[in-house]
mmCIF file with all atom_site columns, all heavy atoms in Angstrom:
data_model
loop_
_atom_site.group_PDB
_atom_site.id
_atom_site.type_symbol
_atom_site.label_atom_id
_atom_site.label_alt_id
_atom_site.label_comp_id
_atom_site.label_asym_id
_atom_site.label_entity_id
_atom_site.label_seq_id
_atom_site.pdbx_PDB_ins_code
_atom_site.Cartn_x
_atom_site.Cartn_y
_atom_site.Cartn_z
_atom_site.occupancy
_atom_site.B_iso_or_equiv
_atom_site.pdbx_formal_charge
_atom_site.auth_seq_id
_atom_site.auth_comp_id
_atom_site.auth_asym_id
_atom_site.auth_atom_id
_atom_site.pdbx_PDB_model_num
ATOM   1   N  N   . TYR O 1 25  ? 105.552 161.930 124.953 1.00 98.00 ? 25  TYR O N   1
ATOM   2   C  CA  . TYR O 1 25  ? 104.733 160.878 124.336 1.00 98.00 ? 25  TYR O CA  1
ATOM   3   C  C   . TYR O 1 25  ? 103.423 161.500 123.872 1.00 98.00 ? 25  TYR O C   1
ATOM   4   O  O   . TYR O 1 25  ? 102.758 162.202 124.644 1.00 98.00 ? 25  TYR O O   1
ATOM   5   C  CB  . TYR O 1 25  ? 104.443 159.763 125.352 1.00 98.00 ? 25  TYR O CB  1
ATOM   6   C  CG  . TYR O 1 25  ? 103.708 158.579 124.762 1.00 98.00 ? 25  TYR O CG  1
ATOM   7   C  CD1 . TYR O 1 25  ? 104.404 157.478 124.263 1.00 98.00 ? 25  TYR O CD1 1
ATOM   8   C  CD2 . TYR O 1 25  ? 102.320 158.576 124.683 1.00 98.00 ? 25  TYR O CD2 1
ATOM   9   C  CE1 . TYR O 1 25  ? 103.731 156.399 123.706 1.00 98.00 ? 25  TYR O CE1 1
ATOM   10  C  CE2 . TYR O 1 25  ? 101.641 157.500 124.126 1.00 98.00 ? 25  TYR O CE2 1
ATOM   11  C  CZ  . TYR O 1 25  ? 102.355 156.416 123.645 1.00 98.00 ? 25  TYR O CZ  1
ATOM   12  O  OH  . TYR O 1 25  ? 101.692 155.355 123.088 1.00 98.00 ? 25  TYR O OH  1
ATOM   13  N  N   . VAL O 1 26  ? 103.054 161.245 122.621 1.00 98.00 ? 26  VAL O N   1
ATOM   14  C  CA  . VAL O 1 26  ? 101.802 161.788 122.086 1.00 98.00 ? 26  VAL O CA  1
ATOM   15  C  C   . VAL O 1 26  ? 100.957 160.631 121.565 1.00 98.00 ? 26  VAL O C   1
ATOM   16  O  O   . VAL O 1 26  ? 101.464 159.745 120.873 1.00 98.00 ? 26  VAL O O   1
ATOM   17  C  CB  . VAL O 1 26  ? 102.084 162.804 120.947 1.00 98.00 ? 26  VAL O CB  1
ATOM   18  C  CG1 . VAL O 1 26  ? 100.775 163.306 120.331 1.00 98.00 ? 26  VAL O CG1 1
ATOM   19  C  CG2 . VAL O 1 26  ? 102.906 163.980 121.453 1.00 98.00 ? 26  VAL O CG2 1
ATOM   20  N  N   . CYS O 1 27  ? 99.678  160.626 121.942 1.00 97.00 ? 27  CYS O N   1
ATOM   21  C  CA  . CYS O 1 27  ? 98.787  159.585 121.435 1.00 97.00 ? 27  CYS O CA  1
ATOM   22  C  C   . CYS O 1 27  ? 98.517  159.842 119.956 1.00 97.00 ? 27  CYS O C   1
ATOM   23  O  O   . CYS O 1 27  ? 98.070  160.929 119.578 1.00 97.00 ? 27  CYS O O   1
ATOM   24  C  CB  . CYS O 1 27  ? 97.477  159.563 122.216 1.00 97.00 ? 27  CYS O CB  1
ATOM   25  S  SG  . CYS O 1 27  ? 97.754  158.941 123.879 1.00 97.00 ? 27  CYS O SG  1
ATOM   26  N  N   . GLY O 1 28  ? 98.814  158.842 119.157 1.00 95.00 ? 28  GLY O N   1
ATOM   27  C  CA  . GLY O 1 28  ? 98.769  159.019 117.707 1.00 95.00 ? 28  GLY O CA  1
ATOM   28  C  C   . GLY O 1 28  ? 97.466  158.558 117.084 1.00 95.00 ? 28  GLY O C   1
ATOM   29  O  O   . GLY O 1 28  ? 96.413  158.580 117.725 1.00 95.00 ? 28  GLY O O   1
ATOM   30  N  N   . ASN O 1 65  ? 102.442 156.741 119.214 1.00 96.00 ? 65  ASN O N   1
ATOM   31  C  CA  . ASN O 1 65  ? 102.023 155.388 118.847 1.00 96.00 ? 65  ASN O CA  1
ATOM   32  C  C   . ASN O 1 65  ? 101.143 155.349 117.601 1.00 96.00 ? 65  ASN O C   1
ATOM   33  O  O   . ASN O 1 65  ? 100.543 156.344 117.210 1.00 96.00 ? 65  ASN O O   1
ATOM   34  C  CB  . ASN O 1 65  ? 101.261 154.746 120.016 1.00 96.00 ? 65  ASN O CB  1
ATOM   35  C  CG  . ASN O 1 65  ? 99.979  155.488 120.306 1.00 96.00 ? 65  ASN O CG  1
ATOM   36  O  OD1 . ASN O 1 65  ? 99.972  156.706 120.399 1.00 96.00 ? 65  ASN O OD1 1
ATOM   37  N  ND2 . ASN O 1 65  ? 98.893  154.746 120.437 1.00 96.00 ? 65  ASN O ND2 1
ATOM   38  N  N   . THR O 1 67  ? 98.005  153.041 116.651 1.00 92.00 ? 67  THR O N   1
ATOM   39  C  CA  . THR O 1 67  ? 97.078  152.010 117.126 1.00 92.00 ? 67  THR O CA  1
ATOM   40  C  C   . THR O 1 67  ? 96.616  151.206 115.915 1.00 92.00 ? 67  THR O C   1
ATOM   41  O  O   . THR O 1 67  ? 95.584  151.491 115.330 1.00 92.00 ? 67  THR O O   1
ATOM   42  C  CB  . THR O 1 67  ? 95.884  152.658 117.854 1.00 92.00 ? 67  THR O CB  1
ATOM   43  O  OG1 . THR O 1 67  ? 96.404  153.485 118.898 1.00 92.00 ? 67  THR O OG1 1
ATOM   44  C  CG2 . THR O 1 67  ? 94.967  151.618 118.478 1.00 92.00 ? 67  THR O CG2 1
ATOM   45  N  N   . TRP O 1 207 ? 92.386  149.123 125.115 1.00 91.00 ? 207 TRP O N   1
ATOM   46  C  CA  . TRP O 1 207 ? 92.922  150.268 124.367 1.00 91.00 ? 207 TRP O CA  1
ATOM   47  C  C   . TRP O 1 207 ? 93.989  151.039 125.149 1.00 91.00 ? 207 TRP O C   1
ATOM   48  O  O   . TRP O 1 207 ? 95.021  151.449 124.591 1.00 91.00 ? 207 TRP O O   1
ATOM   49  C  CB  . TRP O 1 207 ? 91.744  151.180 123.990 1.00 91.00 ? 207 TRP O CB  1
ATOM   50  C  CG  . TRP O 1 207 ? 92.100  152.543 123.501 1.00 91.00 ? 207 TRP O CG  1
ATOM   51  C  CD1 . TRP O 1 207 ? 93.196  152.891 122.742 1.00 91.00 ? 207 TRP O CD1 1
ATOM   52  C  CD2 . TRP O 1 207 ? 91.356  153.751 123.723 1.00 91.00 ? 207 TRP O CD2 1
ATOM   53  N  NE1 . TRP O 1 207 ? 93.169  154.244 122.466 1.00 91.00 ? 207 TRP O NE1 1
ATOM   54  C  CE2 . TRP O 1 207 ? 92.056  154.797 123.055 1.00 91.00 ? 207 TRP O CE2 1
ATOM   55  C  CE3 . TRP O 1 207 ? 90.181  154.063 124.390 1.00 91.00 ? 207 TRP O CE3 1
ATOM   56  C  CZ2 . TRP O 1 207 ? 91.610  156.119 123.055 1.00 91.00 ? 207 TRP O CZ2 1
ATOM   57  C  CZ3 . TRP O 1 207 ? 89.740  155.379 124.381 1.00 91.00 ? 207 TRP O CZ3 1
ATOM   58  C  CH2 . TRP O 1 207 ? 90.449  156.384 123.727 1.00 91.00 ? 207 TRP O CH2 1
ATOM   59  N  N   . HIS O 1 208 ? 93.786  151.247 126.444 1.00 96.00 ? 208 HIS O N   1
ATOM   60  C  CA  . HIS O 1 208 ? 94.691  152.128 127.194 1.00 96.00 ? 208 HIS O CA  1
ATOM   61  C  C   . HIS O 1 208 ? 96.058  151.510 127.448 1.00 96.00 ? 208 HIS O C   1
ATOM   62  O  O   . HIS O 1 208 ? 97.034  152.211 127.636 1.00 96.00 ? 208 HIS O O   1
ATOM   63  C  CB  . HIS O 1 208 ? 94.063  152.509 128.538 1.00 96.00 ? 208 HIS O CB  1
ATOM   64  C  CG  . HIS O 1 208 ? 92.613  152.849 128.415 1.00 96.00 ? 208 HIS O CG  1
ATOM   65  N  ND1 . HIS O 1 208 ? 92.182  153.869 127.612 1.00 96.00 ? 208 HIS O ND1 1
ATOM   66  C  CD2 . HIS O 1 208 ? 91.504  152.283 128.953 1.00 96.00 ? 208 HIS O CD2 1
ATOM   67  C  CE1 . HIS O 1 208 ? 90.849  153.925 127.675 1.00 96.00 ? 208 HIS O CE1 1
ATOM   68  N  NE2 . HIS O 1 208 ? 90.420  152.970 128.474 1.00 96.00 ? 208 HIS O NE2 1
ATOM   69  N  N   . GLU O 1 210 ? 98.236  149.967 125.673 1.00 96.00 ? 210 GLU O N   1
ATOM   70  C  CA  . GLU O 1 210 ? 99.353  150.152 124.756 1.00 96.00 ? 210 GLU O CA  1
ATOM   71  C  C   . GLU O 1 210 ? 100.181 151.393 125.082 1.00 96.00 ? 210 GLU O C   1
ATOM   72  O  O   . GLU O 1 210 ? 101.402 151.363 125.026 1.00 96.00 ? 210 GLU O O   1
ATOM   73  C  CB  . GLU O 1 210 ? 98.895  150.176 123.299 1.00 96.00 ? 210 GLU O CB  1
ATOM   74  C  CG  . GLU O 1 210 ? 98.041  151.365 122.927 1.00 96.00 ? 210 GLU O CG  1
ATOM   75  C  CD  . GLU O 1 210 ? 97.641  151.332 121.446 1.00 96.00 ? 210 GLU O CD  1
ATOM   76  O  OE1 . GLU O 1 210 ? 98.426  151.837 120.642 1.00 96.00 ? 210 GLU O OE1 1
ATOM   77  O  OE2 . GLU O 1 210 ? 96.560  150.810 121.119 1.00 96.00 ? 210 GLU O OE2 1
ATOM   78  N  N   . CYS O 1 211 ? 99.507  152.494 125.444 1.00 98.00 ? 211 CYS O N   1
ATOM   79  C  CA  . CYS O 1 211 ? 100.263 153.737 125.640 1.00 98.00 ? 211 CYS O CA  1
ATOM   80  C  C   . CYS O 1 211 ? 101.115 153.677 126.909 1.00 98.00 ? 211 CYS O C   1
ATOM   81  O  O   . CYS O 1 211 ? 102.235 154.184 126.925 1.00 98.00 ? 211 CYS O O   1
ATOM   82  C  CB  . CYS O 1 211 ? 99.328  154.942 125.629 1.00 98.00 ? 211 CYS O CB  1
ATOM   83  S  SG  . CYS O 1 211 ? 98.648  155.210 123.980 1.00 98.00 ? 211 CYS O SG  1
ATOM   84  N  N   . HIS O 1 226 ? 103.138 164.571 128.130 1.00 98.00 ? 226 HIS O N   1
ATOM   85  C  CA  . HIS O 1 226 ? 102.245 163.607 127.472 1.00 98.00 ? 226 HIS O CA  1
ATOM   86  C  C   . HIS O 1 226 ? 101.180 164.420 126.779 1.00 98.00 ? 226 HIS O C   1
ATOM   87  O  O   . HIS O 1 226 ? 100.549 165.272 127.395 1.00 98.00 ? 226 HIS O O   1
ATOM   88  C  CB  . HIS O 1 226 ? 101.630 162.660 128.505 1.00 98.00 ? 226 HIS O CB  1
ATOM   89  C  CG  . HIS O 1 226 ? 100.974 161.455 127.894 1.00 98.00 ? 226 HIS O CG  1
ATOM   90  N  ND1 . HIS O 1 226 ? 100.155 161.539 126.780 1.00 98.00 ? 226 HIS O ND1 1
ATOM   91  C  CD2 . HIS O 1 226 ? 101.018 160.148 128.223 1.00 98.00 ? 226 HIS O CD2 1
ATOM   92  C  CE1 . HIS O 1 226 ? 99.721  160.319 126.475 1.00 98.00 ? 226 HIS O CE1 1
ATOM   93  N  NE2 . HIS O 1 226 ? 100.237 159.448 127.324 1.00 98.00 ? 226 HIS O NE2 1
ATOM   94  N  N   . LEU O 1 232 ? 90.787  162.887 124.854 1.00 96.00 ? 232 LEU O N   1
ATOM   95  C  CA  . LEU O 1 232 ? 91.443  161.699 125.428 1.00 96.00 ? 232 LEU O CA  1
ATOM   96  C  C   . LEU O 1 232 ? 91.616  161.778 126.949 1.00 96.00 ? 232 LEU O C   1
ATOM   97  O  O   . LEU O 1 232 ? 92.021  160.806 127.577 1.00 96.00 ? 232 LEU O O   1
ATOM   98  C  CB  . LEU O 1 232 ? 92.821  161.486 124.782 1.00 96.00 ? 232 LEU O CB  1
ATOM   99  C  CG  . LEU O 1 232 ? 92.815  161.151 123.286 1.00 96.00 ? 232 LEU O CG  1
ATOM   100 C  CD1 . LEU O 1 232 ? 94.241  160.981 122.778 1.00 96.00 ? 232 LEU O CD1 1
ATOM   101 C  CD2 . LEU O 1 232 ? 92.022  159.872 123.012 1.00 96.00 ? 232 LEU O CD2 1
ATOM   102 N  N   . HIS O 1 236 ? 90.850  157.736 128.280 1.00 96.00 ? 236 HIS O N   1
ATOM   103 C  CA  . HIS O 1 236 ? 92.158  157.197 127.908 1.00 96.00 ? 236 HIS O CA  1
ATOM   104 C  C   . HIS O 1 236 ? 93.294  157.616 128.853 1.00 96.00 ? 236 HIS O C   1
ATOM   105 O  O   . HIS O 1 236 ? 94.009  156.765 129.389 1.00 96.00 ? 236 HIS O O   1
ATOM   106 C  CB  . HIS O 1 236 ? 92.470  157.582 126.467 1.00 96.00 ? 236 HIS O CB  1
ATOM   107 C  CG  . HIS O 1 236 ? 93.683  156.930 125.908 1.00 96.00 ? 236 HIS O CG  1
ATOM   108 N  ND1 . HIS O 1 236 ? 93.907  155.572 126.005 1.00 96.00 ? 236 HIS O ND1 1
ATOM   109 C  CD2 . HIS O 1 236 ? 94.768  157.431 125.267 1.00 96.00 ? 236 HIS O CD2 1
ATOM   110 C  CE1 . HIS O 1 236 ? 95.060  155.280 125.433 1.00 96.00 ? 236 HIS O CE1 1
ATOM   111 N  NE2 . HIS O 1 236 ? 95.601  156.386 124.984 1.00 96.00 ? 236 HIS O NE2 1
ATOM   112 N  N   . HIS O 1 237 ? 93.463  158.907 129.060 1.00 98.00 ? 237 HIS O N   1
ATOM   113 C  CA  . HIS O 1 237 ? 94.627  159.333 129.855 1.00 98.00 ? 237 HIS O CA  1
ATOM   114 C  C   . HIS O 1 237 ? 94.453  159.088 131.353 1.00 98.00 ? 237 HIS O C   1
ATOM   115 O  O   . HIS O 1 237 ? 95.423  158.869 132.073 1.00 98.00 ? 237 HIS O O   1
ATOM   116 C  CB  . HIS O 1 237 ? 94.948  160.797 129.552 1.00 98.00 ? 237 HIS O CB  1
ATOM   117 C  CG  . HIS O 1 237 ? 95.486  160.978 128.161 1.00 98.00 ? 237 HIS O CG  1
ATOM   118 N  ND1 . HIS O 1 237 ? 95.523  162.178 127.508 1.00 98.00 ? 237 HIS O ND1 1
ATOM   119 C  CD2 . HIS O 1 237 ? 96.010  160.063 127.288 1.00 98.00 ? 237 HIS O CD2 1
ATOM   120 C  CE1 . HIS O 1 237 ? 96.049  162.013 126.301 1.00 98.00 ? 237 HIS O CE1 1
ATOM   121 N  NE2 . HIS O 1 237 ? 96.348  160.737 126.144 1.00 98.00 ? 237 HIS O NE2 1
ATOM   122 N  N   . GLU O 1 240 ? 95.374  155.453 131.562 1.00 98.00 ? 240 GLU O N   1
ATOM   123 C  CA  . GLU O 1 240 ? 96.827  155.318 131.377 1.00 98.00 ? 240 GLU O CA  1
ATOM   124 C  C   . GLU O 1 240 ? 97.571  155.688 132.665 1.00 98.00 ? 240 GLU O C   1
ATOM   125 O  O   . GLU O 1 240 ? 98.501  154.994 133.078 1.00 98.00 ? 240 GLU O O   1
ATOM   126 C  CB  . GLU O 1 240 ? 97.285  156.297 130.297 1.00 98.00 ? 240 GLU O CB  1
ATOM   127 C  CG  . GLU O 1 240 ? 97.605  155.689 128.971 1.00 98.00 ? 240 GLU O CG  1
ATOM   128 C  CD  . GLU O 1 240 ? 98.217  156.758 128.074 1.00 98.00 ? 240 GLU O CD  1
ATOM   129 O  OE1 . GLU O 1 240 ? 99.330  157.220 128.367 1.00 98.00 ? 240 GLU O OE1 1
ATOM   130 O  OE2 . GLU O 1 240 ? 97.576  157.142 127.094 1.00 98.00 ? 240 GLU O OE2 1
HETATM 131 ZN ZN1 . ZN  E 2 .   ? 97.309  156.837 124.023 1.00 81.51 ? 1   ZN  E ZN1 1
#
Side-chain angles (χ1 to χ4, degrees):
Y25 185 93
V26 177
C27 290
N65 64 312
T67 305
W207 167 35
H208 317 301
E210 67 179 273
C211 291
H226 194 316
L232 295 179
H236 188 49
H237 291 162
E240 255 187 67

